[in-house]
Amino acid sequence: MVTDPSLADQYRQFAKAVGRDGTGLYQRICDGIAGDADLLSLAATAPPAQRRPNLLLAAVHYLLLSGADDGLADHYPTVAEWRQPSAATGPGSSGGPGGLAGRDPFGEFAGFCRRHHDEVAALLATRATQTNEVGRCAVLLPAFATVAAEAGEALAVVDLGASAGLNLLFDRYGYDYGDRGRAGVEGSAVVLDCEVRSGALPDLSSVPEVAWRAGLDRRPVDVDDEDAVRWLLACQWPQHLERFRRLWAAVRVARATADRGRVVAGDVVDDLAGMAGRAPAGAALCLYHSWVAAYLAEDRQRELVAAVARVAAGRPVWWVYAEQPYEVPGLPMPEPPEGRKVKGATAVVLVRFDRGRPVARRLADMHPHGRWVHWWGA
């Protein structure tokens, strides 16, 4: 039996984070896992780079979405939605008789893992977290608009860690910024809501033109592969039913888009130059990623900086990333404006290179899934 104190701490910290985000189910489950030696031992069978709470949670969610017959499914609104869309009545609803009163979700989760131990372990050994959170496009859009305004030409966008490539289609979605207005494609099946809590967004009256788009990912998700899409959906949180529906809508948009861009299997550091070299001349090369560098060791993050610098030595490059500051010590990370630190926020950074040295600007702080933004525009 393996009991890793640092892994237990990860689950405790994750429980706090999802609790702040209104996900009581995963908060209770992760608090329970942190004190359960058997489940920590199971979680520790994942490869070190993937040994994070999201992976075990996704493995169980995937098995439920795949039809595992277990009462645990009653706690997962997404499973009711997936199996029979009319059955789901929203986050917190029960898909089974008798409701959820008095039932312990962690106890049922632990029991499920015991009964399906080998299936869960196989998923932990072979899968990777693949969130492809399209909600982040609500903040990537003004970042890309900033790049387009500076470059004065259409964009050639490369998504590093692209997953299914859904964020490559940011110009096919609609955006609702509340009292700050709407943007994007009117009537799109995907509409992203984002509260602008401070600052003035750049002009979004027209979406930046995309001349070329492509992505890199170690394990690209084929949007035409039903099993791969089910895993992608499983990486969503089961109480975030609207996110689940939105991701499924984005998959359908991608399936209907002929020029959706190609996501190539490769390493975001080692294969970056080759991918960037395919971008057409006469377009502004914009490299970007969101919650990807967090999965790289600090030394590897520094190698990513060097790889981007090498590309920038040959042509102008705009590098945009949305990452949690404490997770990326190897990347340039400017402080937010004085006195404006936002607890738990993901930083949105734009980097240019001056004679090989990165010059970074902190454009915004955002909710990790794009639900709100403080736009600094620095």
Side-chain angles (χ1 to χ4, degrees):
M1 181 180 297
V2 177
T3 303
D4 183 346
S6 65
L7 191 56
D9 287 341
Q10 275 197 51
Y11 278 94
R12 291 189 189 97
Q13 292 302 315
F14 192 79
K16 292 177 182 177
V18 295
R20 288 194 299 268
D21 214 29
T23 311
L25 173 65
Y26 272 180
Q27 181 180 21
R28 292 192 293 275
I29 288 173
C30 288
D31 273 332
I33 293 171
D36 189 298
D38 289 335
L39 287 177
L40 289 174
S41 179
L42 176 61
T45 62
Q50 289 293 329
R51 206 166 290 165
R52 290 168 174 259
N54 276 330
L55 192 63
L56 176 57
L57 297 170
V60 171
H61 196 186
Y62 169 84
L63 292 173
L64 292 172
L65 291 173
S66 298
D69 185 11
D70 195 279
L72 177 64
D74 295 348
H75 297 275
Y76 287 62
T78 49
V79 175
E81 174 88 354
W82 188 247
R83 294 180 180 178
Q84 186 180 351
S86 62
T89 58
S93 65
S94 170
L100 300 176
R103 292 173 58 180
D104 172 22
F106 168 68
E108 294 187 43
F109 182 93
F112 182 94
C113 289
R114 286 194 298 271
R115 291 186 293 276
H116 297 269
H117 179 278
D118 291 349
E119 295 164 274
V120 173
L123 290 168
L124 294 178
T126 58
R127 300 293 179 110
T129 304
Q130 290 278 19
T131 52
N132 209 157
E133 178 52 65
V134 294
R136 294 174 187 146
C137 288
V139 184
L140 289 173
L141 175 64
F144 294 151
T146 300
V147 172
E150 292 183 5
E153 54 192 7
L155 304 182
V157 291
V158 178
D159 189 346
L160 305 177
S163 188
L166 301 179
N167 289 2
L168 285 167
L169 299 177
F170 72 93
D171 56 335
R172 309 301 170 92
Y173 305 148
Y175 298 86
D176 187 344
Y177 295 101
D179 60 4
R180 307 299 181 94
R182 299 176 70 90
V185 178
E186 187 175 353
S188 174
V190 177
V191 178
L192 307 177
D193 299 312
C194 181
E195 176 192 358
V196 183
R197 293 188 170 178
S198 62
L201 297 178
D203 180 12
L204 299 177
S205 58
S206 61
V207 174
E209 180 184 354
V210 179
W212 181 84
R213 67 189 93 215
L216 267 175
D217 197 279
R218 278 190 173 277
R219 303 180 185 187
V221 175
D222 180 356
V223 294
D224 295 316
D225 183 322
E226 296 292 344
D227 183 73
V229 168
R230 188 160 58 250
W231 174 258
L232 189 65
L233 290 165
C235 291
Q236 297 285 308
W237 300 351
Q239 287 184 305
H240 285 185
L241 193 55
E242 286 305 315
R243 284 180 64 211
F244 186 87
R245 291 169 174 161
R246 185 176 65 197
L247 179 61
W248 177 227
V251 167
R252 296 197 300 273
V253 168
R255 287 175 173 176
T257 303
D259 60 339
R260 63 192 183 216
R262 184 183 176 198
V263 180
V264 176
D267 183 87
V268 297
V269 177
D270 297 338
D271 298 308
L272 173 59
M275 175 59 77
R278 302 180 189 180
L285 178 58
C286 182
L287 311 175
Y288 71 95
H289 51 87
S290 58
W291 276 85
V292 168
Y295 288 87
L296 304 177
E298 182 176 349
D299 286 350
R300 196 62 170 162
Q301 292 170 9
R302 297 188 190 282
E303 290 172 3
L304 175 59
V305 177
V308 178
R310 286 192 292 273
V311 174
R315 66 180 292 177
V317 169
W318 285 259
W319 180 19
V320 174
Y321 48 83
E323 300 282 354
Q324 199 76 358
Y326 71 88
E327 296 266 23
V328 290
L331 299 189
M333 183 58 65
E335 290 294 319
E338 188 174 354
R340 304 303 299 271
K341 188 171 184 178
V342 183
K343 185 176 181 180
T346 293
V348 182
V349 177
L350 172 60
V351 178
R352 299 298 312 281
F353 285 83
D354 180 10
R355 288 172 288 187
R357 300 189 63 177
V359 179
R361 297 149 56 190
R362 189 151 171 162
L363 295 180
D365 279 18
M366 63 178 277
H367 180 276
H369 302 144
R371 284 163 42 184
W372 48 256
V373 61
H374 294 267
W375 185 263
W376 313 127

